[in-house]
Amino acid sequence: MKRTFAATAAFSVALFIGGCSTKTESPQITAEAATAACLDQADKLAATFTKSTVSEPSAEETDHGYRITAGVESSTSDGTTVKRDFTCLAYLGDNGIETRDVNWTPTTGQTTKPPQTLREEYDARMAAGKIQNPAGAFDEDTRFCETLRTSGDPVRILAEAITRPRNLDSPTAHRISRIKEMIPILCADQTATIQRATEEFNLHPGAQPVTPTTKPVVASTPSAPLPKATSPAKTEPGITAGQRNAVRAAKDYLAYTAFSRQGLIEQLEFENYSTDDATFAVDYIAPDWNIQAAKAAQDYLDYTAFSRQGLIDQLMFEGYTSAQAQYGVDQTGL
């Protein structure tokens, strides 16, 4: 940590004051040695900053040593400057000069960069993490925080939201990363909730879906036969193993929740199927995308509140066409 000229001058004055103490019992170490030991601790605390300076260090003699106080001004990589009050007690211990009660706290009102609004901090965090931040995401996450606060089982609600297939980390499904980044900003009181959910449900990209606590309005029927349920290998001898497996995976996903055409292709790509195999599988099954949009719209409304246009925008973000999104929202009566 770089120390300024002003700090050096003040330091000399502090040594002079310390050396002229009127206490009758010597602390057995000098003010100079105590200050040097404490400022070494300040160096360690400031190691994460790009630049730090110390000013006005002073040494106050105590019964066992010296209490050192100083001002520390630190700069972060984005140019923000924060001033801190530094204190430290240096004394003669079994191993020579030791320190304790080391503390530095931000000085109120001394941050030179204007504080960000929640929206600015949210947008900056999403940009830094390269996490998609579509229109309405901030409002959606704000509502989700309120849902967690008012829910009787926020841990499960959080786990359900994260483990929906379309919410897993992929080019367009990014709920895990977004939730982990937004909670400290929008609902810091729920930090423990995500930690508990991660531990109890082993949350990670590709995690097994958590069984919903409420039955969706549009119930899925995994055992019901889908179009072209006959084995692709028999009906189309030329189908490859990769295409056949992609078809099976696509059916499994559609049995669990709704997808847009593009969303399902990208989910399969996230599972490491090639773009060609994923596209083949989705087009081979060819579900009614209007029905998928209706299911997705109702699913969103079961989860949180949306305006009509906000829900249309959300469905379009999930990959549905404008016409499909409007059809889906129309079916909810919104």
Side-chain angles (χ1 to χ4, degrees):
M1 176 172 59
K2 180 180 178 181
R3 297 174 187 165
T4 64
F5 177 77
T8 305
F11 173 64
S12 298
V13 173
L15 297 185
F16 177 78
I17 294 174
C20 295
S21 171
T22 58
K23 288 178 69 75
T24 56
E25 295 182 6
S26 170
Q28 299 181 339
I29 61 173
T30 66
E32 180 179 9
T35 303
C38 280
L39 292 188
D40 282 343
Q41 295 300 317
D43 285 341
K44 295 177 182 178
L45 290 173
T48 58
F49 291 91
T50 57
K51 178 183 178 183
S52 293
T53 58
V54 177
S55 61
E56 300 180 1
S58 62
E60 177 188 0
E61 190 175 346
T62 68
D63 291 339
H64 304 290
Y66 286 95
R67 182 171 301 281
I68 309 301
T69 60
V72 181
E73 185 174 294
S74 302
S75 299
T76 61
S77 58
D78 65 358
T80 301
T81 299
V82 179
K83 293 183 179 179
R84 298 173 180 268
D85 294 324
F86 172 78
T87 60
C88 168
L89 179 64
Y91 62 97
L92 191 62
D94 295 337
N95 299 316
I97 298 178
E98 300 180 9
T99 59
R100 70 183 186 199
D101 300 336
V102 178
N103 185 37
W104 67 342
T105 56
T107 305
T108 303
Q110 293 300 312
T111 301
T112 58
K113 185 176 181 179
Q116 293 178 308
T117 64
L118 283 179
R119 181 57 182 267
E120 290 172 340
E121 187 176 355
Y122 176 94
D123 290 344
R125 184 73 70 91
M126 296 304 117
K130 297 182 179 180
I131 300 169
Q132 292 184 15
N133 185 12
F138 175 82
D139 293 335
E140 177 187 342
D141 285 345
T142 300
R143 291 192 297 268
F144 184 64
C145 282
E146 189 59 29
T147 299
L148 293 180
R149 292 190 182 100
T150 58
S151 170
D153 190 0
V155 173
R156 176 170 283 275
I157 292 295
L158 181 60
E160 289 176 14
I162 288 179
T163 58
R164 292 173 183 164
R166 68 167 170 268
N167 289 339
L168 300 177
D169 285 352
S170 70
T172 60
H174 50 90
R175 192 76 180 159
I176 290 181
S177 296
R178 202 171 92 197
I179 284 180
K180 288 182 177 179
E181 292 294 337
M182 72 83 172
I183 278 185
I185 300 172
L186 301 183
C187 46
D189 56 313
Q190 297 299 316
T191 301
T193 299
I194 195 167
Q195 292 174 340
R196 287 176 54 197
T198 299
E199 295 171 358
E200 292 181 24
F201 295 97
N202 189 29
L203 302 183
H204 57 83
Q208 289 298 312
V210 174
T211 303
T213 54
T214 58
K215 185 177 181 180
V217 174
V218 182
S220 61
T221 54
S223 58
L226 294 171
K228 301 182 181 179
T230 306
S231 171
K234 294 179 180 179
T235 58
E236 294 186 29
I239 192 172
T240 67
Q243 291 171 336
R244 182 168 58 252
N245 288 331
V247 168
R248 292 177 59 188
K251 288 180 180 179
D252 288 342
Y253 274 121
L254 288 173
Y256 172 68
T257 192
F259 278 91
S260 68
R261 178 180 183 277
Q262 187 59 35
L264 185 52
I265 289 173
E266 289 174 348
Q267 185 62 44
L268 292 173
E269 289 176 331
F270 175 70
E271 297 293 343
N272 293 322
Y273 289 99
S274 70
T275 299
D276 288 344
D277 286 351
T279 303
F280 171 87
V282 172
D283 289 341
Y284 179 82
I285 296 174
D288 187 324
W289 299 116
N290 282 333
I291 292 177
Q292 293 298 308
K295 289 181 179 180
Q298 188 60 60
D299 192 24
Y300 271 116
L301 290 177
D302 289 342
Y303 159 61
T304 190
F306 278 92
S307 67
R308 174 179 170 81
Q309 189 58 50
L311 186 51
I312 290 174
D313 290 342
Q314 182 64 35
L315 291 177
M316 291 178 64
F317 171 71
E318 295 290 348
Y320 294 98
T321 67
S322 176
Q324 291 165 359
Q326 291 184 50
Y327 175 88
V329 174
D330 287 343
Q331 303 316 299
T332 68
L334 188 62

